Amino acid sequence: MKKKIAVVTGGNSGEYEISLKSGKNIADKIDKNIYDVYLIYIQGTKWFYTYQNINIDIDKNDFSLSLKGEKIIFDCVFIAIHGNPGENGKLQGYFDMLNIPYTGCDVLVSSLTFNKNYCNRVLNTYGIQTASSVHLFKTSIINCEDIIKQIGLPCFVKPCNSGSSVGMSKVKKQEELLPAIARAFEWDNQILIEKFIDGREITCGVMAIHNEIKTLAITEIISKKEYFDFEAKYNPALADEITPADLTPEIQALCEEKSKKIYQVLGCKGIVRIDYIFNQDDMYFIEVNTIPGQTNESLVPKQIAQCKMDFSQLCSNLIEEAIAERQS
């Protein structure tokens, strides 16, 4: 009998439309000879499966689906929601309570990595270099002059709990700082103001299969805008994404070594993507994407293809490892 797999997509963030594309792509690629696949949409309190143009609600008491007189219990959930609630630990905690296997990082890793400030602080203790920063809450007293003395200009202002550069601004002048802070606080009650690091931006996919941590091909991102913002990430005309990146063997080895270390010390699972800025001084960690995009335009599928890996087989491996871990 085929195992029943729920691919959850959508979510409650600015990445909703991207999540829909990722979810559909994953659902299309999962091997139908082995699995029955159900694409489940989540947005707020609306959780449903679409069958013959009719939306059928998911029973949230046990995450089951009643279809054609049958109650479907899922053997595993493939999480394809970027941002809230798929990438911040909320769904992971829900599925843990129900004892349902799911792909990707667990609740602790997801919630930690989703907060840019706390993730940076943890990685700093393991010797991972990050940009100098100021962490603010909505209740913080803001002194722009003091912030600029600490961080300098230009700098980046970003929500702590957000993905795909949503709510992010690059600040070049002191008078731009307060509006940028206000914009970031529209998305989160914690924000991070980071020192600008001049250098090249690269990103590396990392995964673990059979307890072996492996890196994928490295991509260099060259934005045609001021920086690699939400629009540039999802409009191919606004950025060049070069896979594999043109790097010296030393820089490539350093990126791979750092990426494996970060994956290990954080306790990541499944496929993640880790972003960096590097220059002649060091390689600076930017963030971990625990549910990276899986659309045809996304970076990780291109990295997988560059490594001559079969995406469908990789999905099977992730599903089976999630099920095996829950049973152990």
Side-chain angles (χ1 to χ4, degrees), residues 102-137:
Y102 55 86
T103 59
C105 297
D106 63 22
V107 59
L108 174 61
V109 178
S110 299
S111 57
L112 172 64
T113 55
F114 198 66
N115 186 295
K116 296 177 178 67
N117 173 66
Y118 296 132
C119 184
N120 285 357
R121 300 295 176 259
V122 169
L123 289 177
N124 288 160
T125 67
Y126 288 97
I128 301 298
Q129 186 74 10
T130 61
S132 301
S133 63
V134 171
H135 179 219
L136 297 177
F137 295 89

Side-chain angles (χ1 to χ4, degrees), residues 14 16 23 26 37-38 50-51 113 163 180 182 194 201 214 247 252 254 257 288 301 314-315 318:
Y16 176 80
I26 290 167
V37 180
Y38 300 80
T50 300
Y51 179 72
T113 55
E194 286 187 332
E201 183 169 354
K214 298 181 178 181
L247 305 173
Q252 179 176 334
L254 178 61
E257 178 187 351
V288 180
L314 187 55
C315 289
L318 295 173

Side-chain angles (χ1 to χ4, degrees), residues 10-21:
N12 309 320
S13 77
E15 299 173 271
Y16 176 80
E17 295 295 335
I18 306 303
S19 294
L20 293 183
K21 293 180 180 180

Side-chain angles (χ1 to χ4, degrees), residues 25-230:
N25 194 41
I26 290 167
D28 288 344
K29 295 289 173 41
I30 292 177
D31 191 343
K32 307 307 186 298
N33 294 315
I34 306 174
Y35 307 106
D36 287 329
V37 180
Y38 300 80
L39 188 60
I40 307 298
Y41 296 88
I42 291 179
Q43 188 177 33
T45 59
K46 298 177 182 179
W47 296 25
F48 60 91
Y49 173 71
T50 300
Y51 179 72
Q52 294 182 348
N53 295 319
I54 298 173
N55 294 339
I56 302 171
D57 289 339
I58 296 295
D59 186 343
K60 300 187 190 75
N61 292 303
D62 57 3
F63 196 70
S64 63
L65 170 65
S66 295
L67 186 64
K68 295 185 291 186
E70 177 188 1
K71 181 173 181 174
I72 296 169
I73 302 294
F74 298 105
D75 296 290
C76 184
V77 178
F78 203 118
I79 301 177
I81 293 179
H82 315 307
N84 179 35
E87 207 164 6
N88 58 3
K90 292 182 179 179
L91 271 184
Q92 289 81 359
Y94 167 76
F95 291 128
D96 282 340
M97 294 283 286
L98 295 175
N99 199 32
I100 298 175
Y102 55 86
T103 59
C105 297
D106 63 22
V107 59
L108 174 61
V109 178
S110 299
S111 57
L112 172 64
T113 55
F114 198 66
N115 186 295
K116 296 177 178 67
N117 173 66
Y118 296 132
C119 184
N120 285 357
R121 300 295 176 259
V122 169
L123 289 177
N124 288 160
T125 67
Y126 288 97
I128 301 298
Q129 186 74 10
T130 61
S132 301
S133 63
V134 171
H135 179 219
L136 297 177
F137 295 89
K138 272 192 175 178
T139 54
S140 299
I141 297 173
I142 298 169
N143 186 313
C144 291
E145 288 187 5
D146 285 349
I147 291 170
I148 291 172
K149 283 180 183 177
Q150 287 182 254
I151 303 302
L153 290 173
C155 64
F156 283 106
V157 181
K158 59 182 75 172
C160 282
N161 297 283
S162 182
S164 281
S165 303
V166 173
M168 181 173 169
S169 303
K170 184 177 181 180
V171 173
K172 297 179 180 179
K173 302 175 183 178
Q174 181 170 324
E175 56 266 31
E176 297 173 350
L177 185 55
L178 270 181
I181 289 172
R183 179 170 181 247
F185 274 134
E186 291 176 3
W187 293 91
D188 192 17
N189 61 7
Q190 297 181 45
I191 68 170
L192 202 60
I193 304 174
E194 286 187 332
K195 179 182 178 66
F196 170 73
I197 304 295
D198 189 18
R200 296 166 65 186
E201 183 169 354
I202 55 175
T203 183
C204 181
V206 194
M207 64 180 185
I209 298 294
H210 306 309
N211 294 319
E212 181 183 357
I213 300 174
K214 298 181 178 181
T215 54
L216 300 173
I218 301 170
T219 301
E220 179 172 9
I221 299 163
I222 304 173
S223 179
K224 297 177 183 178
K225 298 191 69 181
E226 184 71 25
Y227 62 95
F228 195 47
D229 63 3
F230 183 89

